[in-house]
Structures are given as structure tokens and as C-alpha cells.
């Protein structure tokens, strides 16, 4: 079940201002969710978010420090590579699950994380996983956070096996 009362980058010990990178990831997932629902062009949604949503409060904090280039890169990249990202995610889903069964907000989050794992190689895989697990925890109550953690861990071990000191465990899915 979705929730809205938690700051996605607040630790268990309390709240802190989200970093510009974390804020960009949060807004990118929201923008991609909006694109999925409304079918608006990514450039239009990015412009709206940069004009209006960046200044909105989240838990009483302004996101004016959002990393705008990262927000644009994530939304444009995920939008351009949706089919490829879905294929990557499908390859690490349990056999009895399909991409079509994944709720759209959760899928938007997973696609964004998969994009970062496959394209933003300068960001360590463990950082990507941690960021998106935090976002899942901010958006959802229940098992979604564990689901995101498991999916991204499996995907990271495939896409970035060398970061984990291993050879790729599954066939190349890119």
C-alpha cells in the first residue's frame, strides 16, 4: 500500500534534507509515473516538474537543490529505453511474475533504478540499490521494499558482476 508521510532520504534515526541527487531520483520516479498514466511527452513533464514541482514541500523541506541535469537524464533515459529496461527486469523476476503484474509506481521506480545500474556506471551499484530501496520505503508499506531490494540486487549482480568480484551469473541481458 502506498504511503506519503515519510521523507525518502531520512534515515531510521530521523529526518534530513534530501540531497540534490536523491531529490532528482524521487522526482524522476514521480515524473515517470505521471508519464505512464497520462502519456505526456517526457520533455513536457520534465518542464512542468522543473517549473512547479521542484519548489514543492516534501515533509516541510523545499527541493530547490534538486540535481536538475540528473532529473532530466533519468526521465529522458528511462522513457527512451523502457522496453530494454523491462526486458532487464523481466530477466531477474521470479518465473511466476511478469512485468505486467508489477504496479505502475513500483515499475517506474524499478525502471529508473535499472537505468542507473545500466547507464550510470560511475555510481556504485550498492549506492543505486540503497537509494531506490529508500525510495521504495518512502512510497510503500509492506513487502515492496524487500521486493525492490531483491530485484535490484539480482540485476546489479548481472549488470555489474565485476563490482561484486564475480563473473556474470546470468546471460547478458542488455
Amino acid at each position: 500500500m502506498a504511503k506519503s508521510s515519510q521523507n525518502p532520504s531520512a534515515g531510521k534515526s530521523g529526518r534530513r534534507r534530501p540531497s540534490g541527487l536523491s531529490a532528482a531520483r524521487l522526482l524522476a520516479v514521480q515524473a515517470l509515473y505521471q508519464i505512464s498514466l497520462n502519456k505526456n511527452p517526457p520533455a513536457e513533464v520534465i518542464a512542468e516538474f522543473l517549473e512547479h514541482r521542484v519548489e514543492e514541500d516534501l515533509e516541510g523541506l523545499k527541493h530547490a537543490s534538486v540535481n536538475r541535469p540528473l532529473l532530466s537524464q533519468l526521465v529522458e533515459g528511462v522513457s527512451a529505453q523502457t522496453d530494454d529496461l523491462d526486458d532487464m527486469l523481466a530477466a531477474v523476476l521470479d518465473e511466476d511474475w511478469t512485468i505486467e503484474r508489477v504496479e505502475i509506481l513500483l515499475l517506474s521506480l524499478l525502471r529508473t533504478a535499472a537505468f542507473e545500474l545500466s547507464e550510470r556506471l560511475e555510481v556504485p551499484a550498492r549506492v543505486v540499490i540503497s537509494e531506490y530501496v529508500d525510495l521504495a520505503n518512502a512510497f510503500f508499506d509492506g513487502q515492496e521494499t524487500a521486493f525492490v531490494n531483491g530485484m535490484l540486487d539480482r540485476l546489479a549482480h548481472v549488470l555489474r558482476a565485476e563490482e561484486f568480484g564475480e563473473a556474470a551469473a546470468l546471460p547478458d541481458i542488455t
Side-chain angles (χ1 to χ4, degrees), residues 130-156:
S130 177
E131 284 283 322
Y132 288 94
V133 166
D134 285 349
L135 282 178
N137 191 45
F139 286 124
F140 299 99
D141 288 323
Q143 297 181 340
E144 293 90 351
T145 302
F147 178 77
V148 167
N149 188 48
M151 286 282 298
L152 297 182
D153 186 64
R154 287 191 299 271
L155 186 59

PDB file of all heavy atoms in Angstrom, residues 130-156:
ATOM      1  N   SER A 130      20.753   1.131  -2.633  1.00  0.00           N
ATOM      2  CA  SER A 130      20.376   1.798  -1.390  1.00  0.00           C
ATOM      3  C   SER A 130      19.421   2.966  -1.631  1.00  0.00           C
ATOM      4  O   SER A 130      18.416   3.120  -0.921  1.00  0.00           O
ATOM      5  CB  SER A 130      21.636   2.290  -0.672  1.00  0.00           C
ATOM      6  OG  SER A 130      21.290   3.004   0.498  1.00  0.00           O
ATOM      7  N   GLU A 131      19.712   3.769  -2.634  1.00  0.00           N
ATOM      8  CA  GLU A 131      18.860   4.928  -2.946  1.00  0.00           C
ATOM      9  C   GLU A 131      17.444   4.497  -3.295  1.00  0.00           C
ATOM     10  O   GLU A 131      16.467   5.091  -2.840  1.00  0.00           O
ATOM     11  CB  GLU A 131      19.456   5.728  -4.104  1.00  0.00           C
ATOM     12  CG  GLU A 131      20.648   6.577  -3.712  1.00  0.00           C
ATOM     13  CD  GLU A 131      20.271   7.840  -2.965  1.00  0.00           C
ATOM     14  OE1 GLU A 131      19.237   8.468  -3.304  1.00  0.00           O
ATOM     15  OE2 GLU A 131      21.009   8.205  -2.038  1.00  0.00           O
ATOM     16  N   TYR A 132      17.313   3.465  -4.122  1.00  0.00           N
ATOM     17  CA  TYR A 132      15.990   3.058  -4.567  1.00  0.00           C
ATOM     18  C   TYR A 132      15.249   2.223  -3.531  1.00  0.00           C
ATOM     19  O   TYR A 132      14.017   2.238  -3.491  1.00  0.00           O
ATOM     20  CB  TYR A 132      16.061   2.393  -5.946  1.00  0.00           C
ATOM     21  CG  TYR A 132      16.339   3.442  -6.990  1.00  0.00           C
ATOM     22  CD1 TYR A 132      17.634   3.717  -7.418  1.00  0.00           C
ATOM     23  CD2 TYR A 132      15.309   4.218  -7.511  1.00  0.00           C
ATOM     24  CE1 TYR A 132      17.896   4.720  -8.342  1.00  0.00           C
ATOM     25  CE2 TYR A 132      15.563   5.224  -8.441  1.00  0.00           C
ATOM     26  CZ  TYR A 132      16.855   5.465  -8.850  1.00  0.00           C
ATOM     27  OH  TYR A 132      17.107   6.466  -9.752  1.00  0.00           O
ATOM     28  N   VAL A 133      15.958   1.542  -2.661  1.00  0.00           N
ATOM     29  CA  VAL A 133      15.312   0.881  -1.530  1.00  0.00           C
ATOM     30  C   VAL A 133      14.741   1.951  -0.597  1.00  0.00           C
ATOM     31  O   VAL A 133      13.612   1.820  -0.104  1.00  0.00           O
ATOM     32  CB  VAL A 133      16.283  -0.073  -0.807  1.00  0.00           C
ATOM     33  CG1 VAL A 133      15.743  -0.503   0.551  1.00  0.00           C
ATOM     34  CG2 VAL A 133      16.564  -1.292  -1.683  1.00  0.00           C
ATOM     35  N   ASP A 134      15.497   3.031  -0.373  1.00  0.00           N
ATOM     36  CA  ASP A 134      14.985   4.137   0.434  1.00  0.00           C
ATOM     37  C   ASP A 134      13.734   4.745  -0.192  1.00  0.00           C
ATOM     38  O   ASP A 134      12.769   5.061   0.503  1.00  0.00           O
ATOM     39  CB  ASP A 134      16.047   5.232   0.612  1.00  0.00           C
ATOM     40  CG  ASP A 134      17.139   4.855   1.592  1.00  0.00           C
ATOM     41  OD1 ASP A 134      17.000   3.839   2.306  1.00  0.00           O
ATOM     42  OD2 ASP A 134      18.155   5.588   1.647  1.00  0.00           O
ATOM     43  N   LEU A 135      13.752   4.916  -1.517  1.00  0.00           N
ATOM     44  CA  LEU A 135      12.570   5.450  -2.193  1.00  0.00           C
ATOM     45  C   LEU A 135      11.383   4.495  -2.067  1.00  0.00           C
ATOM     46  O   LEU A 135      10.250   4.933  -1.833  1.00  0.00           O
ATOM     47  CB  LEU A 135      12.860   5.720  -3.671  1.00  0.00           C
ATOM     48  CG  LEU A 135      13.640   6.981  -3.992  1.00  0.00           C
ATOM     49  CD1 LEU A 135      13.887   7.077  -5.496  1.00  0.00           C
ATOM     50  CD2 LEU A 135      12.928   8.213  -3.493  1.00  0.00           C
ATOM     51  N   ALA A 136      11.621   3.222  -2.234  1.00  0.00           N
ATOM     52  CA  ALA A 136      10.541   2.242  -2.079  1.00  0.00           C
ATOM     53  C   ALA A 136       9.953   2.325  -0.684  1.00  0.00           C
ATOM     54  O   ALA A 136       8.727   2.285  -0.508  1.00  0.00           O
ATOM     55  CB  ALA A 136      11.056   0.831  -2.366  1.00  0.00           C
ATOM     56  N   ASN A 137      10.804   2.478   0.302  1.00  0.00           N
ATOM     57  CA  ASN A 137      10.347   2.602   1.680  1.00  0.00           C
ATOM     58  C   ASN A 137       9.523   3.870   1.869  1.00  0.00           C
ATOM     59  O   ASN A 137       8.599   3.893   2.671  1.00  0.00           O
ATOM     60  CB  ASN A 137      11.543   2.570   2.630  1.00  0.00           C
ATOM     61  CG  ASN A 137      11.122   2.435   4.064  1.00  0.00           C
ATOM     62  OD1 ASN A 137      10.255   1.631   4.399  1.00  0.00           O
ATOM     63  ND2 ASN A 137      11.711   3.232   4.923  1.00  0.00           N
ATOM     64  N   ALA A 138       9.839   4.927   1.134  1.00  0.00           N
ATOM     65  CA  ALA A 138       9.096   6.175   1.227  1.00  0.00           C
ATOM     66  C   ALA A 138       7.723   6.072   0.563  1.00  0.00           C
ATOM     67  O   ALA A 138       6.757   6.670   1.021  1.00  0.00           O
ATOM     68  CB  ALA A 138       9.896   7.314   0.595  1.00  0.00           C
ATOM     69  N   PHE A 139       7.644   5.306  -0.514  1.00  0.00           N
ATOM     70  CA  PHE A 139       6.403   5.201  -1.276  1.00  0.00           C
ATOM     71  C   PHE A 139       5.458   4.110  -0.770  1.00  0.00           C
ATOM     72  O   PHE A 139       4.259   4.184  -0.982  1.00  0.00           O
ATOM     73  CB  PHE A 139       6.695   4.918  -2.754  1.00  0.00           C
ATOM     74  CG  PHE A 139       7.216   6.090  -3.529  1.00  0.00           C
ATOM     75  CD1 PHE A 139       8.418   5.994  -4.215  1.00  0.00           C
ATOM     76  CD2 PHE A 139       6.516   7.281  -3.609  1.00  0.00           C
ATOM     77  CE1 PHE A 139       8.898   7.055  -4.968  1.00  0.00           C
ATOM     78  CE2 PHE A 139       6.987   8.348  -4.353  1.00  0.00           C
ATOM     79  CZ  PHE A 139       8.180   8.239  -5.028  1.00  0.00           C
ATOM     80  N   PHE A 140       5.998   3.050  -0.166  1.00  0.00           N
ATOM     81  CA  PHE A 140       5.197   1.866   0.106  1.00  0.00           C
ATOM     82  C   PHE A 140       5.331   1.398   1.547  1.00  0.00           C
ATOM     83  O   PHE A 140       6.375   1.566   2.177  1.00  0.00           O
ATOM     84  CB  PHE A 140       5.632   0.705  -0.797  1.00  0.00           C
ATOM     85  CG  PHE A 140       5.483   0.982  -2.263  1.00  0.00           C
ATOM     86  CD1 PHE A 140       6.577   1.367  -3.025  1.00  0.00           C
ATOM     87  CD2 PHE A 140       4.245   0.853  -2.884  1.00  0.00           C
ATOM     88  CE1 PHE A 140       6.448   1.617  -4.379  1.00  0.00           C
ATOM     89  CE2 PHE A 140       4.104   1.103  -4.235  1.00  0.00           C
ATOM     90  CZ  PHE A 140       5.207   1.484  -4.988  1.00  0.00           C
ATOM     91  N   ASP A 141       4.269   0.770   2.028  1.00  0.00           N
ATOM     92  CA  ASP A 141       4.286  -0.016   3.264  1.00  0.00           C
ATOM     93  C   ASP A 141       4.266  -1.470   2.828  1.00  0.00           C
ATOM     94  O   ASP A 141       3.643  -1.814   1.832  1.00  0.00           O
ATOM     95  CB  ASP A 141       3.024   0.243   4.092  1.00  0.00           C
ATOM     96  CG  ASP A 141       3.014   1.612   4.736  1.00  0.00           C
ATOM     97  OD1 ASP A 141       4.071   2.077   5.164  1.00  0.00           O
ATOM     98  OD2 ASP A 141       1.920   2.212   4.806  1.00  0.00           O
ATOM     99  N   GLY A 142       4.938  -2.307   3.545  1.00  0.00           N
ATOM    100  CA  GLY A 142       4.831  -3.718   3.217  1.00  0.00           C
ATOM    101  C   GLY A 142       6.052  -4.283   2.538  1.00  0.00           C
ATOM    102  O   GLY A 142       7.169  -3.799   2.709  1.00  0.00           O
ATOM    103  N   GLN A 143       5.809  -5.289   1.709  1.00  0.00           N
ATOM    104  CA  GLN A 143       6.882  -6.088   1.143  1.00  0.00           C
ATOM    105  C   GLN A 143       7.528  -5.487  -0.099  1.00  0.00           C
ATOM    106  O   GLN A 143       8.484  -6.051  -0.618  1.00  0.00           O
ATOM    107  CB  GLN A 143       6.375  -7.483   0.831  1.00  0.00           C
ATOM    108  CG  GLN A 143       5.926  -8.230   2.066  1.00  0.00           C
ATOM    109  CD  GLN A 143       5.445  -9.625   1.740  1.00  0.00           C
ATOM    110  OE1 GLN A 143       5.104  -9.936   0.610  1.00  0.00           O
ATOM    111  NE2 GLN A 143       5.416 -10.480   2.748  1.00  0.00           N
ATOM    112  N   GLU A 144       7.020  -4.365  -0.579  1.00  0.00           N
ATOM    113  CA  GLU A 144       7.594  -3.772  -1.788  1.00  0.00           C
ATOM    114  C   GLU A 144       9.070  -3.428  -1.618  1.00  0.00           C
ATOM    115  O   GLU A 144       9.861  -3.590  -2.555  1.00  0.00           O
ATOM    116  CB  GLU A 144       6.816  -2.519  -2.207  1.00  0.00           C
ATOM    117  CG  GLU A 144       5.414  -2.782  -2.674  1.00  0.00           C
ATOM    118  CD  GLU A 144       4.373  -2.746  -1.556  1.00  0.00           C
ATOM    119  OE1 GLU A 144       4.751  -2.678  -0.369  1.00  0.00           O
ATOM    120  OE2 GLU A 144       3.185  -2.803  -1.880  1.00  0.00           O
ATOM    121  N   THR A 145       9.444  -2.967  -0.430  1.00  0.00           N
ATOM    122  CA  THR A 145      10.841  -2.594  -0.199  1.00  0.00           C
ATOM    123  C   THR A 145      11.753  -3.811  -0.347  1.00  0.00           C
ATOM    124  O   THR A 145      12.798  -3.734  -0.994  1.00  0.00           O
ATOM    125  CB  THR A 145      11.008  -1.942   1.182  1.00  0.00           C
ATOM    126  OG1 THR A 145      10.163  -0.789   1.245  1.00  0.00           O
ATOM    127  CG2 THR A 145      12.442  -1.521   1.429  1.00  0.00           C
ATOM    128  N   ALA A 146      11.354  -4.931   0.229  1.00  0.00           N
ATOM    129  CA  ALA A 146      12.142  -6.160   0.095  1.00  0.00           C
ATOM    130  C   ALA A 146      12.168  -6.623  -1.360  1.00  0.00           C
ATOM    131  O   ALA A 146      13.192  -7.106  -1.853  1.00  0.00           O
ATOM    132  CB  ALA A 146      11.590  -7.248   1.001  1.00  0.00           C
ATOM    133  N   PHE A 147      11.045  -6.477  -2.052  1.00  0.00           N
ATOM    134  CA  PHE A 147      10.963  -6.836  -3.465  1.00  0.00           C
ATOM    135  C   PHE A 147      11.953  -6.005  -4.279  1.00  0.00           C
ATOM    136  O   PHE A 147      12.708  -6.542  -5.102  1.00  0.00           O
ATOM    137  CB  PHE A 147       9.523  -6.625  -3.957  1.00  0.00           C
ATOM    138  CG  PHE A 147       9.311  -6.922  -5.407  1.00  0.00           C
ATOM    139  CD1 PHE A 147       9.225  -8.231  -5.857  1.00  0.00           C
ATOM    140  CD2 PHE A 147       9.164  -5.896  -6.324  1.00  0.00           C
ATOM    141  CE1 PHE A 147       9.007  -8.510  -7.203  1.00  0.00           C
ATOM    142  CE2 PHE A 147       8.946  -6.159  -7.671  1.00  0.00           C
ATOM    143  CZ  PHE A 147       8.877  -7.472  -8.110  1.00  0.00           C
ATOM    144  N   VAL A 148      11.961  -4.681  -4.050  1.00  0.00           N
ATOM    145  CA  VAL A 148      12.896  -3.792  -4.756  1.00  0.00           C
ATOM    146  C   VAL A 148      14.329  -4.187  -4.442  1.00  0.00           C
ATOM    147  O   VAL A 148      15.167  -4.291  -5.349  1.00  0.00           O
ATOM    148  CB  VAL A 148      12.631  -2.311  -4.386  1.00  0.00           C
ATOM    149  CG1 VAL A 148      13.769  -1.408  -4.847  1.00  0.00           C
ATOM    150  CG2 VAL A 148      11.308  -1.848  -4.988  1.00  0.00           C
ATOM    151  N   ASN A 149      14.638  -4.426  -3.187  1.00  0.00           N
ATOM    152  CA  ASN A 149      15.993  -4.800  -2.796  1.00  0.00           C
ATOM    153  C   ASN A 149      16.429  -6.078  -3.511  1.00  0.00           C
ATOM    154  O   ASN A 149      17.526  -6.142  -4.080  1.00  0.00           O
ATOM    155  CB  ASN A 149      16.081  -4.969  -1.281  1.00  0.00           C
ATOM    156  CG  ASN A 149      17.503  -5.163  -0.806  1.00  0.00           C
ATOM    157  OD1 ASN A 149      18.403  -4.426  -1.200  1.00  0.00           O
ATOM    158  ND2 ASN A 149      17.706  -6.156   0.044  1.00  0.00           N
ATOM    159  N   GLY A 150      15.577  -7.085  -3.517  1.00  0.00           N
ATOM    160  CA  GLY A 150      15.920  -8.349  -4.165  1.00  0.00           C
ATOM    161  C   GLY A 150      16.091  -8.209  -5.668  1.00  0.00           C
ATOM    162  O   GLY A 150      17.049  -8.732  -6.253  1.00  0.00           O
ATOM    163  N   MET A 151      15.159  -7.510  -6.301  1.00  0.00           N
ATOM    164  CA  MET A 151      15.235  -7.307  -7.757  1.00  0.00           C
ATOM    165  C   MET A 151      16.518  -6.564  -8.142  1.00  0.00           C
ATOM    166  O   MET A 151      17.223  -6.964  -9.065  1.00  0.00           O
ATOM    167  CB  MET A 151      14.028  -6.500  -8.247  1.00  0.00           C
ATOM    168  CG  MET A 151      12.734  -7.249  -8.293  1.00  0.00           C
ATOM    169  SD  MET A 151      12.611  -8.321  -9.725  1.00  0.00           S
ATOM    170  CE  MET A 151      12.682  -7.142 -11.062  1.00  0.00           C
ATOM    171  N   LEU A 152      16.785  -5.466  -7.441  1.00  0.00           N
ATOM    172  CA  LEU A 152      17.950  -4.661  -7.807  1.00  0.00           C
ATOM    173  C   LEU A 152      19.253  -5.369  -7.477  1.00  0.00           C
ATOM    174  O   LEU A 152      20.243  -5.223  -8.210  1.00  0.00           O
ATOM    175  CB  LEU A 152      17.885  -3.290  -7.135  1.00  0.00           C
ATOM    176  CG  LEU A 152      16.698  -2.428  -7.567  1.00  0.00           C
ATOM    177  CD1 LEU A 152      16.757  -1.069  -6.874  1.00  0.00           C
ATOM    178  CD2 LEU A 152      16.635  -2.274  -9.077  1.00  0.00           C
ATOM    179  N   ASP A 153      19.271  -6.148  -6.410  1.00  0.00           N
ATOM    180  CA  ASP A 153      20.468  -6.921  -6.093  1.00  0.00           C
ATOM    181  C   ASP A 153      20.749  -7.941  -7.190  1.00  0.00           C
ATOM    182  O   ASP A 153      21.890  -8.056  -7.663  1.00  0.00           O
ATOM    183  CB  ASP A 153      20.297  -7.615  -4.734  1.00  0.00           C
ATOM    184  CG  ASP A 153      21.571  -8.316  -4.311  1.00  0.00           C
ATOM    185  OD1 ASP A 153      22.591  -7.631  -4.096  1.00  0.00           O
ATOM    186  OD2 ASP A 153      21.556  -9.568  -4.210  1.00  0.00           O
ATOM    187  N   ARG A 154      19.723  -8.669  -7.627  1.00  0.00           N
ATOM    188  CA  ARG A 154      19.909  -9.642  -8.718  1.00  0.00           C
ATOM    189  C   ARG A 154      20.355  -8.941 -10.004  1.00  0.00           C
ATOM    190  O   ARG A 154      21.272  -9.396 -10.685  1.00  0.00           O
ATOM    191  CB  ARG A 154      18.624 -10.440  -8.954  1.00  0.00           C
ATOM    192  CG  ARG A 154      18.339 -11.460  -7.873  1.00  0.00           C
ATOM    193  CD  ARG A 154      17.225 -12.430  -8.235  1.00  0.00           C
ATOM    194  NE  ARG A 154      15.940 -11.810  -8.477  1.00  0.00           N
ATOM    195  CZ  ARG A 154      15.018 -11.571  -7.536  1.00  0.00           C
ATOM    196  NH1 ARG A 154      15.275 -11.897  -6.280  1.00  0.00           N
ATOM    197  NH2 ARG A 154      13.870 -11.028  -7.852  1.00  0.00           N
ATOM    198  N   LEU A 155      19.705  -7.823 -10.329  1.00  0.00           N
ATOM    199  CA  LEU A 155      20.057  -7.098 -11.548  1.00  0.00           C
ATOM    200  C   LEU A 155      21.476  -6.549 -11.481  1.00  0.00           C
ATOM    201  O   LEU A 155      22.231  -6.640 -12.449  1.00  0.00           O
ATOM    202  CB  LEU A 155      19.054  -5.965 -11.796  1.00  0.00           C
ATOM    203  CG  LEU A 155      19.208  -5.209 -13.102  1.00  0.00           C
ATOM    204  CD1 LEU A 155      19.076  -6.137 -14.304  1.00  0.00           C
ATOM    205  CD2 LEU A 155      18.190  -4.079 -13.174  1.00  0.00           C
ATOM    206  N   ALA A 156      21.860  -6.007 -10.339  1.00  0.00           N
ATOM    207  CA  ALA A 156      23.212  -5.468 -10.179  1.00  0.00           C
ATOM    208  C   ALA A 156      24.273  -6.556 -10.336  1.00  0.00           C
ATOM    209  O   ALA A 156      25.320  -6.325 -10.935  1.00  0.00           O
ATOM    210  CB  ALA A 156      23.357  -4.785  -8.816  1.00  0.00           C
TER     211      ALA A 156
END
